[in-house]
Amino acid sequence: AIRDLLGVQLQPEELPPADASGGEGFDTVCDVLFTSPAHLDSWMASTRIAVRRALQQDLTEKLPEKRRLLSVFGQQLPPETPGAADPELIRSLLTATASQAWRRSPAPEEITQLLTLYTTATTSAPSTLEAIVLPLQAVLLSPHFLFIVEPKPADGSEITRLTASELATRLSLLLWSSIPDAPLRQAAESGKLLQPSELRAQMRRMLEDPRSRALGEAFGVQWLGLDEAAERRPDPELFPEYSPELAADFREEAIRTIAAIFRENRPLSELLAAEDLFMDDLRAFDRNPEFTEAHKQRIASMPRGKWGRIQMKKEEDNFVHLAHLAAGEDELAEAGFFVIFNKQGTGEPIS
């Protein structure tokens, strides 16, 4: 979400730790998540890095319309002297950023609070840009950005229909693990998103976007119970060729395969017996005997990090193998058996 909002990417060491969990299930279930003061401190540090990086990136962008935060200043850049910037431009900047981050239009009093933070910061900040950092941090630290805030229905009922904006938020979190983009927000603001035809059109558009990879990474891997497999280590005497790079390749294969099934609207039965797979050159010479020399040459010619989709008659999923072998099991298990067991709690075929 920070990437899509600010146009910057935080490095792994700059990210806050994952939310601690007190139960099982998806890592987005708020009922079992909890935080700590140390976690909040890390979030403050991460948001400060992200905002400053985004502002510096905008300073180097010559085209105003491509700036994520400073586009409201047009061809000019914010004045160096703190407090010298036009207050209405600061208001526009904070309103636009909060609207996108919070997935709704901010209330006037909320913008007033952000402006108060800016005014306070101008008394000690060395520049206008540094004064802007504080209210933008507040936008990213707000519960309206970090969580899905669900107000109780005015009539006191337990169940209520989602608004168009709430539907847009859930759709973008499911498909992209991020915030709604401009087309989705526009469809929500106009109310068209509540129409079945528009909802289907938006879903198709979002599934075609590269960000739909999140279906495999954030949803699919957890759904199939593979999220902890990459952290396991098989017996080094039995599998001396194992390496962290190999484990990362296994995980990537699972992510891309699951995402492709959803993106292309393919049957879920392919999780049991897919006839093609994604793979990288690192594993090209130690695979199924049916993997021909032509397949090997095709993958070996790909630059590192460029993944290919290879057609196979039958293939066992190595990422599932890693999960089983790290647990001490002696025999490889086909991906199909693992999915049946994990989804139904039984090794019996699905009828």
Side-chain angles (χ1 to χ4, degrees):
I2 288 179
R3 176 202 62 205
D4 292 342
L5 177 65
L6 303 180
V8 298
Q9 189 78 41
L10 291 174
Q11 299 303 311
E13 64 273 12
E14 298 170 338
L15 293 170
D19 292 326
S21 175
E24 298 181 351
F26 288 96
D27 61 10
T28 54
V29 180
C30 64
D31 289 343
V32 298
L33 298 178
F34 58 90
T35 187
S36 66
H39 196 175
L40 294 177
D41 287 343
S42 66
W43 256 109
M44 292 183 68
S46 296
T47 56
R48 187 181 304 112
I49 292 171
V51 170
R52 284 176 172 165
R53 187 171 296 165
L55 290 171
Q56 290 300 318
Q57 181 173 278
D58 276 5
L59 289 179
T60 61
E61 177 57 62
K62 296 182 179 180
L63 298 176
E65 62 272 15
K66 290 189 176 182
R67 297 170 185 161
R68 293 297 184 104
L69 297 173
L70 302 180
S71 60
V72 297
F73 291 93
Q75 295 291 342
Q76 303 297 321
L77 291 173
E80 183 69 18
T81 305
D86 184 342
E88 288 305 312
L89 293 180
I90 299 296
R91 178 185 293 273
S92 296
L93 186 160
L94 297 176
T95 301
T97 306
S99 296
Q100 187 176 358
W102 297 348
R103 289 90 64 186
R104 62 170 176 80
S105 298
E109 57 270 21
E110 292 174 320
I111 297 301
T112 299
Q113 291 173 346
L114 295 175
L115 287 170
T116 300
L117 288 175
Y118 166 75
T119 302
T120 301
T122 59
T123 62
S124 58
S127 66
T128 298
L129 284 184
E130 276 299 309
I132 295 174
V133 170
L134 184 61
L136 288 178
Q137 264 194 280
V139 170
L140 299 182
L141 291 170
S142 168
H144 298 292
F145 176 68
L146 298 176
F147 307 102
I148 297 179
V149 179
E150 298 181 334
K152 293 184 178 180
D155 59 4
S157 61
E158 294 291 332
I159 301 175
T160 185
R161 186 179 296 275
L162 293 175
T163 66
S165 295
E166 291 170 339
L167 178 59
T169 294
R170 284 156 177 77
L171 191 61
S172 62
L173 289 176
L174 173 63
L175 301 184
W176 289 349
S177 291
S178 186
I179 56 178
D181 63 353
L184 186 58
R185 291 199 309 273
Q186 292 168 3
E189 291 169 0
S190 67
K192 292 182 178 179
L193 188 61
L194 296 177
Q195 301 173 4
S197 59
E198 178 66 18
L199 178 59
R200 285 193 294 269
Q202 289 291 337
M203 290 182 66
R204 293 191 188 99
R205 179 186 68 83
M206 296 173 72
L207 285 170
E208 292 173 359
D209 190 286
R211 284 172 287 185
S212 64
R213 159 192 173 88
L215 269 176
E217 187 169 24
F219 172 73
V221 169
Q222 292 187 66
W223 175 51
L224 295 179
L226 303 176
D227 48 319
E228 298 179 359
E231 300 177 1
R232 300 178 180 177
R233 298 292 183 269
D235 189 325
E237 294 185 3
L238 294 176
F239 303 96
E241 69 279 5
Y242 171 83
S243 69
E245 292 77 16
L246 190 63
D249 284 348
F250 291 160
R251 185 175 189 276
E252 182 69 12
E253 178 183 321
I255 290 171
R256 292 177 68 97
T257 299
I258 296 169
I261 287 175
F262 283 105
R263 182 172 56 251
E264 300 169 15
N265 197 26
R266 297 166 66 178
L268 289 178
S269 59
E270 291 197 8
L271 289 173
L272 308 180
E275 294 186 351
D276 56 358
L277 72 156
F278 294 90
M279 62 188 307
D280 188 41
D281 60 335
L282 184 61
R283 295 178 293 157
F285 304 103
D286 189 25
R287 291 290 286 188
N288 192 295
E290 296 179 8
F291 193 48
T292 67
E293 190 63 33
H295 289 137
K296 296 177 183 179
Q297 292 176 0
R298 178 178 173 184
I299 292 182
S301 66
M302 297 177 186
R304 177 68 179 159
K306 299 294 184 182
W307 294 77
R309 190 168 185 166
I310 309 302
Q311 190 74 23
M312 301 289 287
K313 292 181 180 179
K314 180 71 175 177
E315 184 62 38
E316 295 177 337
D317 190 308
N318 280 298
F319 192 67
V320 174
H321 294 170
L322 177 62
H324 280 255
L325 293 172
E329 299 185 13
D330 296 329
E331 297 182 0
L332 299 183
E334 291 189 0
F337 178 85
F338 180 87
V339 171
I340 291 174
F341 183 84
N342 202 47
K343 293 298 98 187
Q344 293 197 201
T346 175
E348 297 297 324
I350 297 176
S351 58

